[in-house]
Amino acid sequence: MSTDPMDEHRSTLTAALRACRTRESWTAYPEDTASHPNGESGKAAGKAWLADRLGSRFPLEHPGNWRVQQDEVSPYTGLPLGISYPAAEPEALFAAAHRAWPAWRQADPQTRVDVCLEICEQLYLRNFELAYAAMHTAGQSFGMSWAGSGTNAIDRGIEAIALAHAAMERVPRSAVWSRAFGTHQVTLDKRYRLVPRGIAVVIACASFPAWNVYPALFASLATGNPVILKPHPTSVLQMAEAVRICRTTLAEAGFSPDLVGLSLDTVAEPVAKRLISHPGTRIVDFTGSAAFGSWVEANAHPAIAYTETSGANSVLIESLSDPDAQLRAIAGSLCLFSAQMCTSPQNIYVPRGGIRTADGEMTPDEFADALAAAVQAVSTVPRRAAAVMATVQSPHTLDLLNRVRDQAAEKGRVVLEPAPYEHPEYPGARTSGPLLARLDIADHDLYGRERFGPVAFVITADDADRALEQATRDAREQGAITAFAYSTDEGYLDRAEAAYALAGAALTSNLSGPMPLNFSAAYSDYHVTGLNPAGNASLTDDSFVTGRFRITQSRRPVATG
């Protein structure tokens, strides 16, 4: 690390700040592997790194006793990773963080920003290793692990750093204040301090940890707070490597590595509630289920909590201008990472009387069958399915698919069975194509909440306005992060945009083509609004960073004479 890291990272920070202001397309690191300093040779090195980690001690100098993480099983091979990590009691992690904190909180905010940007650089340099770690824990494809859990996630982290920098820069360090009180002039020297809130606990999800962890991690670090990161017990390796990179970079910058700690637990003995309830916790970032997210929001006090949970995302079909292309786009979003993304659609509403298209009327059954065919064009071609669908992260998701399939068969029609595909490289991979079922709008008990995984419903409503009413009510009451609409009627799209805005869900209309429907761009797209039960925080707006520090002041009379 250079003596003045800002010399290296100034252009990155400046460009990130500009992109946050303009909301234009920009990235700190290109998505293609060929542009990486290690080039295509990095892929072989990443594979070798993963092979070296399996069945061994993870190279991390960290408090705790070594323990094999039994819950960590590759969704590709079906085999335990067998990696041992240092497992520390919460009290030891909090004590270490407290000892590390003074020098970090007293550091100039610019210094903290510089160190955070250097960590991002190191994450990118290790992106091949991190990608293979994400593959064999979260179950993503290599391409998604490289980009979605790599460069795009790092961009979300840099976005948080940039906004934290801007928020701290807005606070003057001093001011001279003068005012007349009667015949006397009072002049005060005022000084302002940015005071970090305290230790932050970051709780990661299993299927897409980096995308939420990096913004939370860097928003807290940049504003002066230590971080204790708790990965999901089935998905540790990528987060352990990220923690190792953080600790190494902090030490090289002259700070204690204990500013970032790793908290491990097991499925049988979870530790999240102990971390959240610890008296030393002042910030909580949580990504996961709505049930536990509600507990976090209710019980984190006196800590401030930032949550992203779950929701039933919807698609409104009023009319179609290009049925084939638009059906392919919807099918692609149902297949992408086997719909294990918080932006994956689930409830697809169609008018009972039929859908107007450029080729004439399409009945709801014709639409459902055409959508099933578009899904099968991905899910039944092994190489394509491997690149798009990857694996199913948890075996519990397959159990859910079977239960929902049976319930849907009782209420409506199963249009597409959730059939596995054979992965061309990993014959033992846990896979499943989407379940697609036909329901009526009255079957709300089945579709009215998120069914995490490759599950989608084609739901008949009396008309498109009734569908809009139901979908936005569910967003308000049950939660939704995103929504999609297809219509040739601009008036309908305007009504949908207004209704989803009030419901707190982002709306994408009439999109087809190469960009996935549910792609969310750092620096441009606000991810989650905090306006419905799908989460109380947004990636990334000012409120995501400003609550992590407070401002204190002191006043003294200006000396005269």
Side-chain angles (χ1 to χ4, degrees), residues 60 62-63 67 69 86-90 93-94 201-202 227-233 236 243 260-266 270-272 274-275:
L60 183 64
H62 188 277
R67 185 183 73 202
Q69 191 69 14
E89 281 295 309
L93 293 172
F94 279 94
V201 170
V202 178
V227 175
I228 296 172
L229 170 57
K230 194 207 82 65
H232 192 277
V236 174
V243 167
V260 178
L262 183 70
S263 177
L264 296 183
D265 63 357
T266 66
V271 76
R274 292 175 61 193
L275 295 172

Side-chain angles (χ1 to χ4, degrees), residues 7-312:
D7 289 344
E8 182 178 348
H9 300 305
R10 187 177 302 277
S11 61
T12 297
L13 181 63
T14 300
L17 287 166
R18 182 177 61 248
C20 289
R21 287 194 303 270
T22 65
R23 318 309 293 179
E24 65 192 12
S25 176
W26 179 77
T27 180
Y29 301 109
E31 285 190 8
D32 60 299
T33 57
S35 298
H36 191 273
N38 295 336
E40 289 301 324
S41 66
K43 199 166 186 179
K47 276 188 176 180
W49 174 88
L50 176 66
D52 287 343
R53 297 285 80 78
L54 300 180
S56 66
R57 282 191 175 191
F58 187 81
L60 183 64
E61 294 291 331
H62 188 277
N65 299 316
W66 292 95
R67 185 183 73 202
V68 176
Q69 191 69 14
Q70 302 284 3
D71 296 316
E72 202 168 33
V73 177
S74 169
Y76 280 94
T77 65
L79 299 174
L81 301 190
I83 301 173
S84 299
Y85 303 96
E89 281 295 309
E91 202 57 54
L93 293 172
F94 279 94
H98 270 295
R99 288 192 298 269
W101 190 25
W104 186 248
R105 70 172 179 253
Q106 292 162 15
D108 181 76
Q110 186 66 68
T111 298
R112 296 197 299 257
V113 166
D114 294 346
V115 175
C116 287
L117 289 170
E118 178 63 17
I119 294 172
C120 290
E121 175 77 10
Q122 295 303 316
L123 289 170
Y124 175 65
L125 292 176
R126 304 289 294 185
N127 204 32
F128 283 106
E129 292 88 341
L130 290 162
Y132 278 105
M135 272 188 72
H136 286 276
T137 53
Q140 300 165 19
S141 67
F142 177 80
M144 178 169 283
S145 296
W146 171 269
S149 288
T151 55
N152 294 348
I154 297 169
D155 271 332
R156 279 295 184 192
I158 293 173
E159 178 182 35
I161 295 167
L163 289 175
H165 170 84
M168 292 186 291
E169 282 291 297
R170 286 197 294 268
V171 181
R173 300 302 182 260
S174 64
V176 174
W177 182 88
S178 187
R179 177 183 162 179
F181 286 83
T183 60
H184 297 280
Q185 192 75 15
V186 176
T187 303
L188 298 177
D189 177 16
K190 298 187 177 185
R191 299 177 188 180
Y192 305 95
R193 294 174 184 259
L194 307 179
V195 181
R197 185 177 286 272
I199 295 174
V201 170
V202 178
I203 300 172
C205 67
S207 57
F208 230 103
W211 211 82
N212 293 87
V213 163
Y214 290 171
L217 168 72
F218 289 118
S220 285
L221 275 182
T223 52
N225 305 284
V227 175
I228 296 172
L229 170 57
K230 194 207 82 65
H232 192 277
T234 65
S235 188
V236 174
L237 181 57
Q238 185 193 22
M239 293 297 95
E241 176 64 7
V243 167
R244 189 197 65 77
I245 291 168
C246 288
R247 290 172 65 88
T248 300
T249 308
L250 285 162
E252 290 175 352
F255 295 98
S256 170
D258 288 332
L259 286 163
V260 178
L262 183 70
S263 177
L264 296 183
D265 63 357
T266 66
V267 171
E269 297 182 353
V271 76
K273 286 187 176 181
R274 292 175 61 193
L275 295 172
I276 293 165
S277 302
H278 193 281
T281 299
R282 287 296 176 266
I283 303 167
V284 176
D285 287 274
F286 170 78
T287 308
S289 71
F292 195 70
S294 296
W295 185 92
V296 172
E297 291 171 6
N299 292 277
H301 183 78
I304 186 171
Y306 301 90
T307 65
E308 184 206 314
T309 59
S310 57

Side-chain angles (χ1 to χ4, degrees), residues 299-507:
N299 292 277
H301 183 78
I304 186 171
Y306 301 90
T307 65
E308 184 206 314
T309 59
S310 57
N313 301 318
S314 55
V315 183
L316 303 177
I317 309 293
E318 191 273 337
S319 51
L320 297 171
S321 59
D322 188 349
D324 289 343
Q326 291 166 334
L327 281 163
R328 284 196 301 271
I330 298 168
S333 67
L334 300 181
C335 291
L336 188 62
F337 189 30
S338 298
Q340 297 168 110
M341 302 169 67
C342 58
T343 52
S344 298
Q346 175 181 291
N347 297 334
I348 306 166
Y349 292 89
V350 297
R352 199 182 311 279
I355 303 161
R356 289 181 293 107
T357 79
D359 304 320
E361 287 284 314
M362 178 183 283
T363 69
D365 281 324
E366 289 171 339
F367 173 87
D369 291 338
L371 180 58
V375 167
Q376 287 179 303
V378 177
S379 65
T380 60
V381 182
R383 290 205 170 274
R384 192 175 183 194
V388 176
M389 292 167 52
T391 70
V392 174
Q393 199 276 333
S394 170
H396 298 301
T397 302
L398 299 183
D399 296 337
L400 171 69
L401 278 175
N402 290 331
R403 291 198 305 273
V404 175
R405 184 249 173 247
D406 292 343
Q407 293 166 351
E410 292 177 3
K411 291 179 175 291
R413 175 168 74 95
V414 175
V415 183
L416 187 61
E417 296 280 353
Y421 75 92
E422 186 169 333
H423 197 285
E425 293 182 64
Y426 299 95
R430 185 191 304 119
T431 67
S432 178
L435 163 66
L436 185 63
R438 276 273 282 110
L439 298 177
D440 186 82
I441 198 168
D443 300 318
H444 188 258
D445 58 329
L446 188 52
Y447 71 80
R449 57 192 174 93
E450 183 189 51
R451 306 290 188 158
F452 186 76
V455 177
F457 305 108
V458 175
I459 304 163
T460 48
D462 290 341
D463 55 41
D465 283 309
R466 175 70 182 92
L468 174 60
E469 177 189 356
Q470 184 65 60
T472 52
R473 179 187 301 135
D474 283 346
R476 290 192 302 272
E477 296 177 357
Q478 304 297 322
I481 291 174
T482 192
F484 310 90
Y486 290 89
S487 176
T488 57
D489 182 346
E490 289 295 326
Y492 181 77
L493 293 179
D494 288 342
R495 292 197 301 277
E497 188 173 329
Y500 277 111
L502 285 175
L507 179 65

